[in-house]
Structure formats: structure tokens, C-alpha cells
Amino acid sequence: MTNIKKMLGAGIAVATLFGFAACGSNNNSSEKKADTSTPVQLTVWGSADDQKDGGWIKTVEEEFKKDHPNVTFKNAVVEPPDAAKAVKQDAKAAADVFLFPNDQLGDLVKAGAIGELSDAATNQVKEQNEDTLIKSVTAQDGKMYGVPYTGNTWFMYYNKAKFSADDVKSLDTMLTKGKVSFDIANAWYLPGFYLDGNMTLFGENGNDAKAGMKLSDKAGEVTKYLANLVANKNFVLDGNGRGLAGLKDGSVDAYFSGSWDAAKVKDALKDNYAAAALPKFKTESGEHQMKSFAGSKAVAYNTNTKSPEMAATFAAFLGSKKSQQIAFEKEGAIPSDKSLADSVKAEPAAVAQMETIAKTSVLQPAIPEMGKFWDPVQAFGTGISTGKITPANAAAQTAEFAKGLGK
């Protein structure tokens, strides 16, 4: 249910700062420097686009070799969403360095195939990233694994000829001025209306299985709001591409999605293309902030590598600030490093994603128990979108929904 679709001159200093604990050792007090004399070959996994000639990874590899001439690279295409599955099949034969979405972190740690960050690396990740993304690479054991290089979340695209920058702060205001599309039946999007205090998932940090999944006593008011929203003449139910198609033909003025749709939205809206973090909405009990699930893609090294120090050093380098800048310039990957906000401000989707992660997002839990969340939420959202759940029965239906989540 996740949608996970898409300076260097100080290389030695960056690599040292990001020094990883070799072979997943818990002894983070000793930093091991990679030997720059012994020949080393590193296998790197990533997407086909990331590894094409002149692309992000190939460019960063060439820069890395300037300070590490003893290193050669062997690249293989394993898409980040497939990383955990491929690693678990044979961790010893897997890549030395790979990219992965954070929802696979638990599986990788359990498989013993991902290296723990050192104190220096941990501090650097904390300096680079917002709290949500820091937590995204922190496992249940409280230790940090992997360096985030881009975030994953959804936000709002809109037609700036219909809505002003002030209008898009309020969903209710928007509904008086134009057509708004949202995929209520999608279990990744629907929680966006509940996560501002009306839905808690596995404790404060999203990794306490015993804390379970809970709805507040006011959650029924949110469901009632959504039932009324579906009946609003200015609301367009998204799903199967309807929202994006509506932007293109002019029947939709606002659409909720992620960075993977930026090029298509820009093509649809042309000069009226704009994006923003999520708006607020009002129920009987007051104003609520929409909040999306968020996570990250990160760089990691395999604890089974024959060259742990060098693999860790390159993994750190691939997640560095300048590497993220290259990824944005080459592939359009929106950086997670918050110090790069000014360098991407010309791209509305980049600004919207970074602001959403910083201000209107909640870390998507990555523990196995989260697997029990998606189907009942989708069923509940379908009930709202089809009119089975109405303003009149919203409270009762929400109470039943809460009981199911709490089991």
C-alpha cells in the first residue's frame, strides 16, 4: 500500500563523517576508515533509471573514485521495492550497497543483511532530515540503519487559476471555489483525515505492536465530514486515474498524489501548475489538519559484504547532501536533506513534498502488524465512497470500524 514510485570535493570528509559500524557491529565508538590502497569491487543495486550512463548513481560512483581510485563498481538492476525480497533470498550473494524503501527495514534487520549506522552517521542523518524521516530508518531495536536520500508521501496539486495560495490552506474554502478530487477508497490516502489526533497506530513512534490501532471518540465526526464530502457537488471521487484525467480536461482543480505524478500534472495544468502541503478542514469539534503517511527511500550496506568499511563509506557517500543534489538534477528525485530546500524551490512538487514531510505528515508504521491495517481501511473507505456510510450512521459505523481495528 505504499507508493513508492520515484561539494563532492569534500568526499573524504563526508565519508569519514558518515562512517558506518563495520559488519553491523554495535561498537559505534570506533570508526573504521576504508583502505584506499587494496583493490575493491562493490556491487550496487538500484533502479534502471538511477544506474543508466550519466545518471545519478553512475555519476556519484565516478566522483567517489576520485578519492578512492582502488574501487571499481558492478551495477545491477534491482528496484528498491524488490530489495528486501532479493536480499533475503541469499544475503551473501546480494549487493554490497543497495537502495530500499523504509517499510522493508524490519525484514532487512531480521535477515541480518543491513548495517547499523555509527554514532557519526546517526548524527549526520539527524542533521540532514526531518524527524519523520529519521524515524523511518530507526528499527524497533532503537538503532538506525540506512541513510535517507528521498522522502515518500502525498500532497496536493492544484490549479492556481482557481485557488490562491491562501485558499489552499482550507479544504472547505477550496470546495466553494472549484472541484476537488480525492481517493477516499484508498487505504493509503483515507487516513489523512484521521491522523491529526483521531487515529493512533502502534504508539507514538509507530513501532509498539502492543499499543495497537485506535480511533478517538471524535473519529465519528471525521467520518460524517467525509460522508458529506462525497455528496458535495464540488467533490470528485478519485480512483483509477480519474483525478489526474480531470486535471487534464478541466473537470478537476485539485488532486492529491505524490512526486511520481509531478510531470503529468505539470503537463495537464501548464502555466497554472501548483502544489502545496495539505489543507485543514472543520468538523463539529473544530479544525483538523490533514496528514499523510510518510516514509523514505534510503541507502544501506549489506553486512555480508567482503568489504564492509568501503561498502559503508560508499553507502554514506551515496546518501550525502551533494549526492542528493545530483539525484534531483539527474533524475528528479526530491532530496530529503532539508538544507537543500532552497535549491529545489523552483519545482512546486519538491517544495510541497518537503513541507508536507516537515509539517503535515505521520510516519507510516513499518512493523508486521501494520499488514492488518490496509484491508479494513479500504473496506471502510469504500463504504464512505459508495454512500453506504452516511452522515446519519457515521458514528455507529465508525464505532464498528474501531472495534475491528482494535482486535
Side-chain angles (χ1 to χ4, degrees):
M1 279 292 184
T2 58
N3 285 286
I4 306 181
K5 303 186 181 178
K6 310 202 154 186
M7 102 191 174
L8 285 172
I12 295 177
V14 171
T16 301
L17 182 60
F18 274 86
F20 283 55
C23 297
S25 169
N26 290 330
N27 182 13
N28 283 350
S29 61
S30 60
E31 300 297 335
K32 293 189 177 182
K33 293 185 179 180
D35 182 355
T36 59
S37 60
T38 304
V40 172
Q41 183 182 73
L42 296 177
T43 299
V44 180
W45 281 353
S47 70
D49 284 343
D50 289 338
Q51 302 202 60
K52 63 188 178 185
D53 289 340
W56 166 45
I57 290 179
K58 286 288 187 69
T59 300
V60 175
E61 286 173 349
E62 290 304 310
E63 292 293 338
F64 186 78
K65 287 163 66 175
K66 291 178 182 179
D67 290 318
H68 303 84
N70 61 319
V71 178
T72 57
F73 291 95
K74 179 182 178 181
N75 296 85
V77 175
V78 175
E79 300 288 336
D82 299 326
K85 181 179 179 181
V87 170
K88 287 192 296 181
Q89 286 178 345
D90 189 347
K92 292 183 178 180
D96 302 291
V97 176
F98 56 89
L99 312 179
F100 73 100
N102 78 287
D103 61 350
Q104 297 181 356
L105 179 59
D107 286 340
L108 289 165
V109 172
K110 186 176 181 180
I114 188 170
E116 178 194 343
L117 273 63
S118 68
D119 290 343
T122 297
N123 290 336
Q124 181 64 19
V125 170
K126 289 179 178 179
E127 289 176 7
Q128 282 185 290
N129 299 282
E130 297 292 349
D131 187 58
T132 299
L133 297 194
I134 294 169
K135 290 179 180 178
S136 77
V137 291
T138 303
Q140 283 183 280
D141 60 9
K143 298 170 185 177
M144 197 175 295
Y145 302 81
V147 181
Y149 66 91
T150 188
N152 178 51
T153 192
W154 53 269
F155 45 88
M156 182 171 63
Y157 292 101
Y158 67 96
N159 183 337
K160 63 183 180 183
K162 287 292 185 77
F163 306 117
S164 69
D166 194 52
D167 291 337
V168 298
K169 295 177 182 178
S170 167
L171 180 59
D172 300 305
T173 297
M174 293 175 69
L175 289 164
T176 68
K177 296 187 174 185
K179 300 284 187 177
V180 178
S181 176
F182 190 87
D183 193 357
I184 286 177
N186 188 308
W188 200 50
Y189 289 86
L190 177 64
F193 284 92
Y194 294 88
L195 289 171
D196 188 22
N198 288 303
M199 176 184 283
T200 55
L201 303 173
F202 309 111
E204 182 180 355
N205 295 319
N207 60 7
D208 181 359
K210 293 182 179 180
M213 301 179 284
K214 301 175 183 177
L215 296 180
S216 76
D217 293 339
K218 300 292 185 181
E221 292 183 11
V222 176
T223 305
K224 181 178 178 181
Y225 177 91
L226 291 171
N228 283 319
L229 178 65
V230 170
N232 191 306
K233 63 182 180 64
N234 277 342
F235 177 76
V236 178
L237 185 65
D238 191 14
N240 297 319
R242 286 191 296 268
L244 187 57
L247 283 181
K248 195 164 187 177
D249 66 23
S251 61
V252 166
D253 303 307
Y255 167 67
F256 294 82
S257 185
S259 59
W260 53 89
D261 272 339
K264 293 178 181 178
V265 174
K266 189 173 184 178
D267 180 64
L269 294 178
K270 304 293 192 296
D271 292 341
N272 292 319
Y273 167 60
L278 303 180
K280 295 180 179 181
F281 65 98
K282 288 184 178 180
T283 68
E284 294 99 317
S285 61
E287 195 169 56
H288 305 274
Q289 174 66 61
M290 288 183 69
K291 292 188 175 182
S292 56
F293 279 135
S296 69
K297 288 183 183 179
V299 190
Y301 75 98
N302 186 346
T303 54
N304 295 280
T305 178
K306 295 178 180 178
S307 306
E309 290 84 11
M310 191 62 76
T313 301
F314 179 67
F317 194 73
L318 193 55
S320 67
K321 174 181 176 179
K322 186 55 181 179
S323 177
Q324 290 187 37
Q325 180 74 59
I326 293 172
F328 178 69
E329 294 170 353
K330 297 280 188 179
E331 314 296 344
I334 298 171
S336 66
D337 190 309
K338 56 191 177 183
S339 70
L340 291 173
D342 285 344
S343 67
V344 301
K345 63 183 178 182
E347 171 47 54
V351 175
Q353 176 166 299
M354 295 183 86
E355 289 186 352
T356 296
I357 289 173
K359 301 175 183 178
T360 64
S361 73
V362 171
L363 176 66
Q364 178 179 315
I367 62 176
E369 289 77 9
M370 188 65 178
K372 299 178 181 178
F373 175 80
W374 305 111
D375 287 345
V377 174
Q378 182 174 338
F380 189 66
T382 300
I384 297 172
S385 68
T386 59
K388 179 181 178 181
I389 297 175
T390 67
N393 68 19
Q397 292 284 342
T398 304
E400 287 301 310
F401 175 50
K403 289 180 183 178
L405 284 182
K407 291 182 180 178

